[in-house]
Tab-separated table of all heavy atoms in Angstrom:
chain	number	residue	atom	x	y	z
A	66	LEU	N	114.934	112.257	97.786
A	66	LEU	CA	113.765	112.015	96.939
A	66	LEU	C	113.934	112.682	95.578
A	66	LEU	O	114.339	113.844	95.488
A	66	LEU	CB	112.500	112.560	97.616
A	66	LEU	CG	111.182	112.364	96.869
A	66	LEU	CD1	110.820	110.886	96.755
A	66	LEU	CD2	110.054	113.131	97.557
A	67	THR	N	113.625	111.918	94.504
A	67	THR	CA	113.506	112.488	93.164
A	67	THR	C	112.060	112.286	92.723
A	67	THR	O	111.236	111.789	93.487
A	67	THR	CB	114.452	111.794	92.161
A	67	THR	OG1	113.948	110.466	91.908
A	67	THR	CG2	115.868	111.715	92.711
A	68	LYS	N	111.770	112.598	91.469
A	68	LYS	CA	110.387	112.486	91.003
A	68	LYS	C	109.929	111.042	90.872
A	68	LYS	O	108.732	110.771	90.871
A	68	LYS	CB	110.219	113.205	89.674
A	68	LYS	CG	110.195	114.711	89.821
A	68	LYS	CD	109.832	115.409	88.528
A	68	LYS	CE	109.749	116.913	88.755
A	68	LYS	NZ	109.475	117.637	87.499
A	69	LYS	N	110.883	110.111	90.775
A	69	LYS	CA	110.480	108.722	90.554
A	69	LYS	C	111.049	107.746	91.561
A	69	LYS	O	110.671	106.569	91.554
A	69	LYS	CB	110.884	108.279	89.146
A	69	LYS	CG	110.145	109.002	88.051
A	69	LYS	CD	110.394	108.371	86.700
A	69	LYS	CE	109.533	109.065	85.640
A	69	LYS	NZ	109.739	108.488	84.302
A	70	GLU	N	111.964	108.192	92.419
A	70	GLU	CA	112.560	107.266	93.369
A	70	GLU	C	113.116	107.987	94.587
A	70	GLU	O	113.309	109.207	94.579
A	70	GLU	CB	113.642	106.418	92.703
A	70	GLU	CG	114.766	107.198	92.079
A	70	GLU	CD	115.677	106.325	91.231
A	70	GLU	OE1	115.558	105.087	91.248
A	70	GLU	OE2	116.545	106.896	90.544
A	71	SER	N	113.361	107.163	95.596
A	71	SER	CA	113.959	107.665	96.824
A	71	SER	C	115.098	106.724	97.200
A	71	SER	O	115.061	105.520	96.887
A	71	SER	CB	112.925	107.715	97.946
A	71	SER	OG	113.516	108.118	99.163
A	72	PHE	N	116.104	107.301	97.845
A	72	PHE	CA	117.231	106.508	98.314
A	72	PHE	C	117.368	106.681	99.824
A	72	PHE	O	117.163	107.776	100.358
A	72	PHE	CB	118.528	106.948	97.636
A	72	PHE	CG	118.574	106.645	96.168
A	72	PHE	CD1	118.165	107.597	95.241
A	72	PHE	CD2	119.008	105.421	95.715
A	72	PHE	CE1	118.189	107.322	93.883
A	72	PHE	CE2	119.045	105.142	94.361
A	72	PHE	CZ	118.626	106.098	93.437
A	73	LEU	N	117.719	105.575	100.472
A	73	LEU	CA	118.073	105.632	101.885
A	73	LEU	C	119.549	105.253	101.975
A	73	LEU	O	119.927	104.121	101.673
A	73	LEU	CB	117.220	104.669	102.711
A	73	LEU	CG	117.463	104.719	104.225
A	73	LEU	CD1	117.013	106.062	104.798
A	73	LEU	CD2	116.730	103.583	104.936
A	74	HIS	N	120.371	106.240	102.336
A	74	HIS	CA	121.808	106.017	102.428
A	74	HIS	C	122.149	105.671	103.868
A	74	HIS	O	121.735	106.379	104.796
A	74	HIS	CB	122.568	107.275	101.997
A	74	HIS	CG	122.143	107.811	100.661
A	74	HIS	ND1	122.607	107.310	99.475
A	74	HIS	CD2	121.264	108.802	100.344
A	74	HIS	CE1	122.044	107.970	98.463
A	74	HIS	NE2	121.227	108.880	98.961
A	75	ILE	N	122.919	104.608	104.029
A	75	ILE	CA	123.378	104.225	105.362
A	75	ILE	C	124.898	104.432	105.380
A	75	ILE	O	125.634	103.747	104.655
A	75	ILE	CB	123.050	102.754	105.689
A	75	ILE	CG1	121.572	102.447	105.400
A	75	ILE	CG2	123.370	102.448	107.143
A	75	ILE	CD1	121.178	101.007	105.662
A	76	THR	N	125.334	105.376	106.206
A	76	THR	CA	126.753	105.730	106.271
A	76	THR	C	127.402	105.073	107.479
A	76	THR	O	126.902	105.185	108.600
A	76	THR	CB	126.910	107.253	106.368
A	76	THR	OG1	126.258	107.859	105.243
A	76	THR	CG2	128.384	107.649	106.388
A	77	ALA	N	128.502	104.372	107.233
A	77	ALA	CA	129.262	103.696	108.297
A	77	ALA	C	128.339	102.931	109.233
A	77	ALA	O	128.271	103.232	110.440
A	77	ALA	CB	130.115	104.710	109.058
A	78	PRO	N	127.590	101.952	108.720
A	78	PRO	CA	126.601	101.261	109.546
A	78	PRO	C	127.220	100.480	110.694
A	78	PRO	O	128.370	100.019	110.627
A	78	PRO	CB	125.904	100.325	108.554
A	78	PRO	CG	126.901	100.094	107.484
A	78	PRO	CD	127.670	101.378	107.357
A	79	LYS	N	126.396	100.296	111.735
A	79	LYS	CA	126.766	99.495	112.884
A	79	LYS	C	125.812	98.293	112.953
A	79	LYS	O	124.724	98.330	112.359
A	79	LYS	CB	126.646	100.319	114.162
A	79	LYS	CG	127.582	101.521	114.205
A	79	LYS	CD	127.461	102.263	115.518
A	79	LYS	CE	128.448	103.405	115.568
A	79	LYS	NZ	128.391	104.128	116.864
A	80	PRO	N	126.184	97.260	113.694
A	80	PRO	CA	125.297	96.076	113.789
A	80	PRO	C	123.870	96.409	114.218
A	80	PRO	O	122.919	95.766	113.765
A	80	PRO	CB	126.011	95.202	114.821
A	80	PRO	CG	127.456	95.528	114.641
A	80	PRO	CD	127.486	97.011	114.340
A	81	GLU	N	123.702	97.439	115.031
A	81	GLU	CA	122.358	97.816	115.477
A	81	GLU	C	121.502	98.429	114.370
A	81	GLU	O	120.296	98.646	114.555
A	81	GLU	CB	122.401	98.763	116.679
A	81	GLU	CG	123.260	99.988	116.493
A	81	GLU	CD	124.643	99.821	117.105
A	81	GLU	OE1	125.246	98.719	116.960
A	81	GLU	OE2	125.136	100.802	117.718
Side-chain angles (χ1 to χ4, degrees):
Chain A
L66 181 65
T67 71
K68 285 188 177 177
K69 294 190 175 180
E70 58 190 351
S71 176
F72 292 93
L73 184 67
H74 308 278
I75 310 178
T76 303
K79 297 182 177 182
E81 53 262 42

